[in-house]
Amino acid sequence: MSLPETLQGVLMMSGSRTNRSFEPVLFSGIAGGIEICITFPTEYVKTQLQLDEKANPPRYKGIVDCVKQTVRDHGVKGLYRGLSSLVYGSIPKAAVRFGMFEFLSNKMRDESGKLDSTQGLICGLGAGVAEAIVVVCPMETVKVKFIHDQTSANPKYRGFFHGVREIVRTQGLKGTYQGLTATVLKQGSNQAIRFYVMTALRNWYKGDNPQKTINPLVTGVFGAVAGAASVFGNTPLDVIKTRMQGLEAHKYKSTVDCAIKIMKHEGPAAFYKGTVPRLGRVCMDVAIVFIIYEEVVKVLNKVWKTD
């Protein structure tokens, strides 16, 4: 039979099969890295708005004001502060995410190889938790600290490697794992929602014909919808995660304490700070990554066959 038509496994393969199963992950990671370079200013703005506390008072009046102040004080390059951590983590994140998803989905597929939407949700949840622990938490912690540091009176991080060394020197390795609980909750729900929506839309599109080919543009639309669903579904967790990873994280005793203080001092609207810029980046990110991954898998299915 051909290699799995949906997401190709990377944890269940060995030998030459491991090499070719890693190729979709590699291309997806590279595609994700390119997408991040293009859209990172929206990630920067989202993070700054989420860090901006109402009680301080607020530093920014909105998205446009955040961009204007950043460019005025730091130039256009200021909008790319913290980019390096996401670029370096793009391939490892894709490897863990898709590898864990396929590992779990291979255990759940029926005899015809079909995965229903509920199973997709469970597998996505597992993939999100795995990527949060292995890659995303340290990657996001460094990103948030770098972005937050830029607004300090005396920024102390001169670059990615210098910043990581300073974080580890002053806080130990645990300094790169701040907000782990919130990150696990955010990434777990992220991928649970995305894979649930993607699986449901894919099954709906194919109907009774599991061999029906999905056009890349359709895959992209499905990915964008899945990305949007995750943004509206878990932005409150993203806000909590960002606060727990900022330079003032010491104010919060725990994830729950952070949520309580945000609600008490800023109200429920604060849990949706940065939704618009996050929506733009996530929709593009998920669409591109799913298109690249599935198209590479299709090519590999044509080149290599398994018994």
Side-chain angles (χ1 to χ4, degrees):
M1 64 178 180
S2 65
L3 295 174
E5 184 181 356
T6 54
L7 301 178
Q8 179 62 31
V10 297
L11 298 182
M12 297 295 290
M13 304 295 182
S14 62
S16 63
R17 292 176 65 188
T18 300
N19 294 332
R20 67 175 181 265
S21 68
F22 183 72
E23 287 184 44
V25 171
L26 177 64
F27 285 120
S28 294
I30 293 173
I34 294 172
E35 176 274 327
I36 290 167
C37 291
I38 296 171
T39 63
F40 187 80
T42 62
E43 180 71 13
Y44 172 89
V45 172
K46 178 215 75 169
T47 303
Q48 287 288 25
L49 293 178
Q50 290 179 344
L51 288 168
D52 198 23
E53 297 183 32
K54 186 176 181 180
N56 273 353
R59 180 186 179 93
Y60 306 111
K61 298 176 182 178
I63 296 172
V64 175
D65 185 53
C66 179
V67 173
K68 287 172 62 177
Q69 287 195 43
T70 299
V71 174
R72 182 195 67 200
D73 298 337
H74 307 284
V76 174
K77 68 178 183 180
L79 295 171
Y80 285 86
R81 177 77 164 178
L83 169 65
S84 53
S85 65
L86 297 193
V87 172
Y88 294 148
S90 62
I91 292 176
K93 182 172 72 171
V96 175
R97 176 187 300 174
F98 290 116
M100 181 57 73
F101 178 85
E102 194 64 26
F103 173 77
L104 295 174
S105 65
N106 281 339
K107 304 291 186 181
M108 295 187 174
R109 297 181 190 277
D110 61 23
E111 294 180 355
S112 66
K114 185 176 181 179
L115 192 74
D116 66 36
S117 55
T118 301
Q119 292 170 327
L121 184 148
I122 295 172
C123 295
L125 177 62
V129 170
E131 72 176 6
I133 296 172
V134 178
V135 182
V136 177
C137 189
M139 182 179 77
E140 283 286 313
T141 300
V142 172
K143 179 206 75 176
V144 172
K145 287 182 182 295
F146 274 34
I147 291 175
H148 205 180
D149 179 62
Q150 183 162 265
T151 62
S152 302
N154 297 298
K156 55 186 177 181
Y157 303 136
R158 296 195 296 268
F160 176 77
F161 295 105
H162 175 263
V164 172
R165 285 200 304 271
E166 282 298 299
I167 292 170
V168 173
R169 183 181 67 82
T170 58
Q171 303 174 40
L173 286 175
K174 68 178 183 179
T176 64
Y177 265 89
Q178 286 184 259
L180 177 60
T181 300
T183 304
V184 167
L185 291 173
K186 181 228 173 181
Q187 292 303 123
S189 59
N190 249 356
Q191 304 314 323
I193 294 170
R194 291 174 190 175
F195 280 105
Y196 172 84
V197 173
M198 281 297 295
T199 303
L201 291 174
R202 187 184 293 115
N203 289 343
W204 166 79
Y205 185 85
K206 290 188 174 184
D208 297 327
N209 181 12
Q211 302 305 318
K212 184 177 180 180
T213 301
I214 302 179
N215 184 283
L217 291 178
V218 175
T219 298
V221 172
F222 288 172
V225 172
S230 68
V231 169
F232 290 117
N234 77 352
T235 290
L237 290 172
D238 191 38
V239 172
I240 295 170
K241 176 200 72 69
T242 299
R243 295 287 180 89
M244 294 291 291
Q245 293 172 335
L247 298 180
E248 298 181 0
H250 59 274
K251 298 192 300 185
Y252 308 115
K253 298 176 183 177
S254 65
T255 300
V256 174
D257 181 59
C258 180
I260 291 173
K261 286 182 177 177
I262 292 174
M263 175 63 78
K264 180 180 179 180
H265 299 298
E266 302 175 61
F271 288 108
Y272 278 90
K273 284 186 174 184
T275 297
V276 174
R278 185 184 180 214
L279 186 65
R281 195 190 83 77
V282 167
C283 287
M284 185 179 293
D285 174 33
V286 178
I288 290 174
V289 170
F290 271 111
I291 289 174
I292 297 297
Y293 198 94
E294 295 207 4
E295 289 308 301
V296 172
V297 169
K298 287 179 185 178
V299 172
L300 295 181
N301 279 335
K302 293 178 181 178
V303 175
W304 285 286
K305 300 289 182 179
T306 60
D307 296 328

